[in-house]
Amino acid sequence: MRKAEADDVNTPDTVIQQEIQDLNPWFHNLHLPDGSQTAPDSFLGDFPAYKWAELADHIPLDLSGRRVLDIGCNAGFYSFELAKRGAAVTAVDMNPHYLAQARWAAGLFGLEKAVTFRRMQVYDLVREPETYDLVLFLGVFYHLRYPFLALDMVRRITAGMLVFQSLSMPGKPGPVPENLAFEDREKLSASGWPKMAFIEHRLADDPTNWWVPDAACMEALLRSCGLRIVSRPGTETYVCQVDKTRRQWVNDWERDEFSAAAGLDSDAVAGAIE
């Protein structure tokens, strides 16, 4: 796909606008080089531009030579912003419609060589041979039936920074004991204890919403995966670094359980993450 020409007065009205319509519906409102927008009337507003404005200063401006993974890339907004900073981006999504939008937009931005698009489930990443300097895991977690398994898989291929975001339910982190006696289980329902609500039917009329954690739960999950939260740039968003002082697998049985669930050799998993 060619880039929009500045002197092609027909492009915004006759070509780009028609192609936007042909690729409807859009979730990302992309601001295209010719001035067109893909979803200017979205109920979310100018999304995800306003989320990027919160996050942008928490990510290095120069990503030259860095390998970046964008999980659930949708139409590619974040992938394009990171590619503009010099990153080599791998963008994955399970939805062929979103990938078609992203590939089309990459051509307009002239970023075809900077961003590689792949159709895959997040669970397919368990066999990903590469690790990434920066991983974006935004707006995916609560759509997964097996969320903690997926987060372990994502952590396994994160070599540096992970940016995580999930829809959340009300609740603030609070102190929890290092160990809980069997007879003290009522404390599990106390304010501040990490919680995650299960959605059996629908949330926001979406049958793919399964689990909604609170803030305490999100932070506990990230720590349990061997990540250290370094900043909270916006609501429900966490910038994390791999915590090299903390083993991801506290016990061998945890490693073995992950290996069995993922269909991997336990020794191979140990060698890759320890």
Side-chain angles (χ1 to χ4, degrees), residues 10 36-37 56 58 65 80 90 107 126 128 158 161 171-172 191 193 198 204 208 210 218 261 273:
N10 293 320
S36 297
Q37 298 181 44
H58 296 261
F80 302 144
T90 298
V126 74
E128 179 68 18
T158 302
M161 177 185 289
K172 296 181 179 180
S191 176
W193 192 279
F198 176 67
T208 73
W210 290 107
M218 285 190 286
I273 62 175

Side-chain angles (χ1 to χ4, degrees), residues 20-215:
I20 291 172
Q21 292 299 315
D22 291 344
L23 286 165
N24 273 336
W26 292 81
F27 187 64
H28 280 185
N29 183 37
L30 304 180
H31 292 246
L32 301 173
D34 74 316
S36 297
Q37 298 181 44
T38 57
D41 301 320
S42 171
F43 72 98
L44 292 171
D46 193 8
F47 176 84
Y50 70 85
K51 297 297 291 184
W52 175 248
E54 296 175 345
L55 181 60
D57 290 343
H58 296 261
I59 294 175
L61 287 174
D62 185 1
L63 293 172
S64 301
R66 306 285 184 90
R67 290 177 49 82
V68 171
L69 177 65
D70 183 4
I71 302 170
C73 65
N74 203 278
F77 180 95
Y78 297 106
S79 297
F80 302 144
E81 293 298 328
L82 297 171
K84 290 173 186 176
R85 295 188 179 193
V89 181
T90 298
V92 304
D93 204 292
M94 61 169 287
N95 190 316
H97 178 74
Y98 292 146
L99 289 173
Q101 293 176 339
R103 291 187 176 105
W104 173 81
L108 292 180
F109 286 115
L111 295 173
E112 306 99 314
K113 295 182 179 179
V115 185
T116 300
F117 296 101
R118 296 164 60 184
R119 185 184 180 190
M120 60 194 305
Q121 291 269 3
V122 63
Y123 310 106
D124 293 325
L125 293 169
V126 74
R127 293 176 178 81
E128 179 68 18
E130 306 290 344
T131 59
Y132 294 86
D133 303 300
L134 169 62
V135 177
L136 268 61
F137 193 26
L138 307 175
V140 176
F141 185 82
Y142 52 96
H143 291 297
L144 303 173
R145 282 183 67 95
Y146 315 104
F148 202 7
L149 177 62
L151 188 56
D152 270 338
M153 291 175 173
V154 171
R155 160 63 184 88
R156 183 169 176 254
I157 59 173
T158 302
M161 177 185 289
L162 173 72
V163 182
F164 175 85
Q165 183 273 333
S166 174
L167 178 73
S168 67
M169 65 176 182
K172 296 181 179 180
V176 297
E178 289 292 324
N179 185 40
L180 188 67
F182 188 81
E183 61 273 14
D184 288 339
R185 283 171 290 164
E186 73 280 355
K187 294 180 180 178
L188 294 172
S189 61
S191 176
W193 192 279
K195 299 178 181 66
M196 189 154 63
F198 176 67
I199 310 300
E200 182 181 2
H201 302 296
R202 291 171 180 258
L203 174 66
D205 201 33
D206 186 343
T208 73
N209 289 325
W210 290 107
W211 296 95
V212 183
D214 65 8

Side-chain angles (χ1 to χ4, degrees), residues 247-264:
R247 290 182 59 199
Q248 183 180 1
W249 312 103
V250 180
N251 299 296
D252 287 340
W253 62 264
E254 290 177 324
R255 182 190 67 205
D256 292 343
E257 181 180 355
F258 173 81
S259 302
L264 297 177

